[in-house]
Amino acid sequence: KMKILQVSTPFLPIREDLKYGGTERVVFLLDQELNRLGHDVTVAAPKTSKPIGKLYRTIEVDIGVSDNFIEEEGKEDDSISLTRQINQTNLRLEHIARTVRFANSQDFDVVHIHDDNVVPFMPLINSPSLLTLHCYYSGEFWDSFLHPNITNLSVNLVSISKDQKRIYEQYGFKVRDVVYNGVDENKFSLSNIKNDFVFSLGIIHPRKGQHEAIEAGKRSGLDVIIAGNIGIPSYFEKEIAPNITHDISNQENKLEAYLDLPGESGGRVVYAGEVNDVQKKDLFSNARAFLMPITRPEPFGLVMVEAMLSGTPVIAYRCGSVPEIVSDGKNGYIVKDVDEMKKAISKVENLSSQECRDYA
């Protein structure tokens, strides 16, 4: 039995009903499994968190994932923007300070950190510690706070894909190992019955490429269901909203709402809004394919595994961790553009739903 402290981010709470937040979801699942195995686990996270084990509250409010994305210049008053940045910085520092103080007040066997902001302060933690890298290398952050020679002497870094490890090592950082993220397979069920739509799930953001998912789906003659919270409002208004034919974001049962839409299927673009685990389960399992036309590397991509566990092939651009997760022609297809994505959609019926799940 080990005494473990997991340090989450200050952005979102740790709880089962999260609608988004990949890092926070991983922390919750690790907490759940480590408790099941009989370990003594504490999670350091914002006040509204509800982990399976113990909670150490770091800050009173969640910063919010949307605050990580900055709109184009001129969209808001500079003084308001500066005030918000200062408030965010203060909350992050409070999260770090309270976490380090708490970690040193207890005799933990290991401190597992999931928040990059804590990295410069890891040498202050008395217990053995490691950081799981959940993002790609950001020169602005890492170059401002750290130098590889210093970090490699005092911080244990673990990556979530080989591609992520390669990028960090390219900049001189030593990464100890690669440990892929886990998914609770019991939350996703295989379905051999597929409806006439393709599915895309992720924060609405240019780097997720939802506009290309819409184009590929429309060219294939299928409906496209887009789900996710809006990260960049201007992108949503310019590239996504004009294509939406039906909005079911206010409906509780997303699949039922889609099936009740008037008219024949084919070429419709449906916005489902944010979805929780129950809502996305049916969308994953009933889709012909899951589309992931990302324009920037993904360190891992939980949604790809969730789709496969639902018996749904993944069609994604060759970027980041995609080649490590998608086996081309086995559980999906790796493509390079909208034309290839459209062709791949027409071939998914050749793939086995059971093989997709078994592979995941």
Side-chain angles (χ1 to χ4, degrees), residues 82-291:
L82 179 60
T83 300
R84 188 173 68 178
Q85 290 179 37
I86 292 172
N87 289 338
Q88 290 175 14
T89 299
N90 288 341
L91 285 170
R92 292 187 190 200
L93 291 173
E94 182 181 354
H95 170 76
I96 293 167
R98 290 175 64 86
T99 293
V100 172
R101 186 164 59 245
F102 176 71
N104 289 338
S105 71
Q106 306 285 318
D107 186 23
F108 288 106
D109 293 303
V110 63
V111 177
H112 186 179
I113 299 165
H114 301 267
D115 177 16
D116 286 355
N117 294 284
V118 182
V119 177
F121 307 93
M122 286 178 67
L124 301 177
I125 297 174
N126 297 330
S127 301
S129 63
L130 72 149
L131 169 82
T132 290
L133 297 158
H134 289 279
C135 299
Y136 265 105
Y137 174 85
S138 171
E140 183 179 347
F141 170 78
W142 291 87
D143 293 343
S144 298
F145 287 97
L146 303 168
H147 187 279
N149 293 336
I150 298 174
T151 305
N152 292 338
L153 290 173
S154 56
V155 175
N156 294 311
L157 302 178
V158 176
S159 65
I160 56 177
S161 69
K162 295 175 183 176
D163 186 70
Q164 185 196 43
K165 180 176 186 288
R166 175 187 62 81
I167 289 178
Y168 273 93
E169 291 185 337
Q170 176 181 316
Y171 287 95
F173 294 94
K174 180 180 178 181
V175 178
R176 294 288 296 272
D177 211 337
V178 175
V179 180
Y180 290 121
N181 282 333
V183 176
D184 184 355
E185 66 268 28
N186 296 316
K187 286 192 173 183
F188 301 91
S189 58
L190 181 148
S191 173
N192 291 311
I193 301 174
K194 301 296 183 180
N195 283 282
D196 293 332
F197 70 88
V198 290
F199 182 42
S200 177
L201 169 62
I203 188 168
I204 309 299
H205 192 285
R207 64 184 172 87
K208 297 293 186 180
Q210 284 95 348
H211 61 292
E212 297 197 1
I214 290 172
E215 182 63 24
K218 289 167 70 174
R219 289 189 194 180
S220 71
L222 297 174
D223 290 340
V224 185
I225 297 182
I226 302 291
N229 59 304
I230 300 173
I232 299 290
S234 61
Y235 170 67
F236 179 81
E237 294 300 328
K238 182 180 179 181
E239 302 287 348
I240 308 301
N243 292 291
I244 295 173
T245 60
H246 300 80
D247 188 336
I248 59 171
S249 58
N250 292 326
Q251 301 298 312
E252 183 63 27
N253 189 319
K254 306 296 184 181
L255 180 63
E256 186 178 276
Y258 164 73
L259 295 175
D260 287 342
L261 291 176
E264 297 182 1
S265 62
R268 297 180 295 187
V269 178
V270 182
Y271 178 56
E274 297 177 351
V275 291
N276 57 31
D277 285 353
V278 174
Q279 294 167 329
K280 71 181 181 182
K281 174 183 175 181
D282 291 336
L283 294 177
F284 269 128
S285 63
N286 281 268
R288 291 275 190 94
F290 180 76
L291 306 186

Side-chain angles (χ1 to χ4, degrees), residues 19-64:
K19 291 186 177 180
Y20 54 89
T23 300
E24 293 78 15
R25 190 177 300 277
V26 169
V27 174
F28 180 87
L29 288 173
L30 281 172
D31 175 63
Q32 185 179 53
E33 184 66 8
L34 289 168
N35 273 280
R36 189 188 70 79
L37 293 170
H39 297 294
D40 181 1
V41 188
T42 303
V43 176
K47 180 181 180 180
T48 56
S49 298
K50 293 182 179 179
I52 300 299
K54 303 172 185 175
L55 170 66
Y56 173 72
R57 296 175 175 85
T58 58
I59 54 177
E60 294 295 309
V61 296
D62 313 320
I63 294 178

Side-chain angles (χ1 to χ4, degrees), residues 43 54 110 243 296 322 326 343 352:
V43 176
K54 303 172 185 175
V110 63
N243 292 291
R296 200 169 76 188
V322 167
V326 178
K343 293 175 183 176
S352 163

